[in-house]
Amino acid sequence: MNNETKPALGVGMIGYAFMGAAHSQAWRTAGRVYYLPLRPAMVTVCGRNRAAVEAAAGRQGWSSFETDWKHVVGRDDVDLVDICAPGDLHAEIAIAALEAGKHVLCEKPLGNTVAEAEAMVAAANAAARHGVRSMVGFNYRRVPALALARSIVSSGKLGVIRHVRAVYLQDWIVDPAFPLVWRLQRERAGSGALGDIGAHIIDLAQFILGDLLVGVSALSETFVKERPLPEESSGLSAIGGSTRGAVTVDDAVLFIGRFANGALGSFEATRFASGRKNAMRIEINGSEGSLAFDFESMNELSFYDHTENPELGGFRRILVTEPGHPYLSAWWPPGHLLGYEHSFTHEIRDLVEAIGLGQDPSPSFADGLQVQHVLAAVEKSAGAGSGWQPIPAPAL
Ligand code: SOE
């Protein structure tokens, strides 16, 4: 039976910018590459600006468009609401959708605060009792090389895990003339680099290790304190009536952490790593070996086997394109590579498969809440300057 004869899963997406475009690509593709128990139907996309969302509907492949998310949640032809809106809208939309009996996919981070995430988890748990499913969109878990890293660690091949070191480096706001977009406003985004890209490496480290952080100590910085207001500066408070506003989130955060099983972690998330566009790297060191991943070479995983003869040993490159590698069986012959967008197709594939099989997708809202707790702990530590030991200036 091909996918065309499967029952439809009506999808309504809120938001149509970068994440909306990435999710649209996945909704268009997943059912054409994988056999799914349900056929995704791209029913409607929602945005406040009518002209812009109508154009997005045509460009991204949605059958209709809405300008009020409440209409999406109320539509009988929508079975799943996909939230690709800024973080300040996640909780309200997700809770309303779950209470209306709609499955929910919500972009990361789950909410802007722990309280919001807790309310979302409560709504998800109540909805799950009626077979309504929910997932948070940590898409990098579905990069095949990172899914492979998890299976290697869980196999015990690396032995006892001692270190995780992860960075997520961007540079899109290095120019102080870059405007005060929503990602730079606490009331919209919840936090800056920490919640936007730091959330990814926190989730990835915990996912690959199968272990949770139990404590952190942090530093953060806002290098550029104010920026020009964007055109649509609705609700932004200009500084002294000027055309500039205060940046109310972190530009960069560095933190260390300890995992429940004893591993030590070091993490860096910044939007000021000049020259690094979307450089996400993670390395795991264990008593028997190590793994290293660099998103700029996302089809590769470096593996070091510490049990090998050191004179013949060293990191070797695994090209993660074999049919037996995670997600690869549906794609191309070995050596033909995948991209960023495939992680979203894999995410949607796993979500639709779980819904069709009556199972809870992963990562759950509860997983998203756990990341939210780490984000809050990092912010609290950075704010308290806890553990900070000043170095005396050299005598002149
Ligand atoms: C912006 O930093 C961003 O779009 C993140 O929000 C995404 O989660 C990341 O995948 C790419 O960069």
Side-chain angles (χ1 to χ4, degrees):
M1 187 159 74
N2 66 35
N3 284 323
E4 290 314 306
T5 58
K6 299 286 178 55
L9 177 74
V11 181
M13 186 172 77
I14 318 294
Y16 54 89
F18 179 3
M19 285 300 111
H23 285 223
S24 298
Q25 177 280 138
W27 287 116
R28 291 194 303 268
T29 308
R32 299 181 189 282
V33 175
Y34 294 99
Y35 284 105
L36 299 177
L38 299 168
R39 174 175 51 83
M42 298 172 69
V43 169
T44 192
V45 59
C46 180
R48 286 169 300 179
N49 180 310
R50 179 187 175 85
V53 71
E54 182 174 14
R59 188 172 64 250
Q60 296 176 354
W62 297 90
S63 305
S64 68
F65 64 90
E66 296 279 358
T67 55
D68 181 343
W69 65 262
K70 294 183 176 67
H71 294 170
V72 176
V73 169
R75 286 178 61 148
D76 291 337
D77 57 352
V78 168
D79 306 304
L80 182 147
V81 175
D82 182 0
I83 304 173
C84 295
D88 60 328
L89 297 174
H90 288 188
E92 187 182 15
I93 296 172
I95 292 169
L98 289 163
E99 289 175 350
K102 315 291 186 184
H103 307 295
V104 172
L105 170 59
C106 184
E107 261 298 326
K108 39 49 66 183
L110 186 62
N112 276 0
T113 65
V114 167
E116 284 182 357
E118 285 172 337
M120 295 168 83
V121 167
N125 291 342
R129 288 194 282 275
H130 307 287
V132 176
R133 310 294 172 189
S134 47
M135 179 200 248
V136 58
F138 284 114
N139 61 295
Y140 289 110
R141 290 184 175 210
R142 267 95 184 181
V143 171
L146 293 169
L148 177 63
R150 175 186 169 88
S151 63
I152 292 172
V153 170
S154 61
S155 76
K157 184 76 176 170
L158 299 193
V160 178
I161 304 302
R162 307 293 189 201
H163 287 285
V164 179
R165 70 186 60 75
V167 300
Y168 201 146
L169 314 174
Q170 295 180 341
D171 72 354
W172 55 282
I173 56 170
V174 166
D175 181 353
F178 191 94
L180 194 68
V181 296
W182 71 264
R183 279 191 167 90
L184 308 183
Q185 306 163 31
R186 174 170 296 280
E187 65 276 12
R188 301 295 312 279
S191 62
L194 173 60
D196 183 25
I197 49 181
H200 277 301
I201 51 179
I202 291 165
D203 176 70
L204 263 185
Q206 297 187 135
F207 167 69
I208 292 172
L209 260 62
D211 195 357
L212 297 179
L213 282 160
V214 295
V216 292
S217 183
L219 277 178
S220 68
E221 185 56 73
T222 303
F223 296 114
V224 175
K225 311 288 187 196
E226 60 173 55
R227 291 178 179 271
L229 296 182
E231 273 85 52
E232 79 293 339
S233 56
S234 57
L236 280 177
S237 54
I239 295 177
S242 74
T243 57
R244 301 176 65 77
V247 175
T248 50
V249 296
D250 57 280
D251 287 332
V253 63
L254 290 83
F255 60 98
I256 55 176
R258 186 187 298 276
F259 289 81
N261 294 335
L264 300 182
S266 60
F267 301 84
E268 179 182 4
T270 180
R271 292 163 166 162
F272 277 72
S274 308
R276 299 298 181 192
K277 303 307 172 183
N278 195 55
M280 191 264 285
R281 303 178 194 140
I282 187 165
E283 180 165 322
I284 317 287
N285 303 135
S287 58
E288 311 284 314
S290 293
L291 291 171
F293 172 83
D294 180 343
F295 182 67
E296 292 182 357
S297 302
M298 68 170 278
N299 292 272
E300 302 174 12
L301 184 64
S302 296
F303 169 60
Y304 169 73
D305 183 344
H306 193 63
T307 64
E308 282 182 331
N309 173 350
E311 291 169 9
L312 301 175
F315 275 94
R316 68 168 183 263
R317 184 188 76 156
I318 302 172
L319 191 59
V320 188
T321 58
E322 296 299 313
H325 283 143
Y327 304 103
L328 262 298
S329 59
W331 296 107
W332 323 123
H336 297 73
L337 310 180
L338 301 187
Y340 174 66
E341 73 278 11
H342 291 84
S343 68
F344 293 94
T345 302
H346 302 159
E347 181 176 82
I348 296 294
R349 173 234 185 227
D350 290 348
L351 171 60
V352 175
E353 187 161 85
I355 292 171
L357 298 176
Q359 297 167 356
D360 286 324
S362 173
S364 65
F365 274 21
D367 295 322
L369 171 60
Q370 199 280 334
V371 172
Q372 210 80 41
H373 278 302
V374 178
L375 297 175
V378 167
E379 282 210 302
K380 185 174 181 181
S381 171
S386 58
W388 180 251
Q389 297 298 322
I391 309 295
L396 294 176

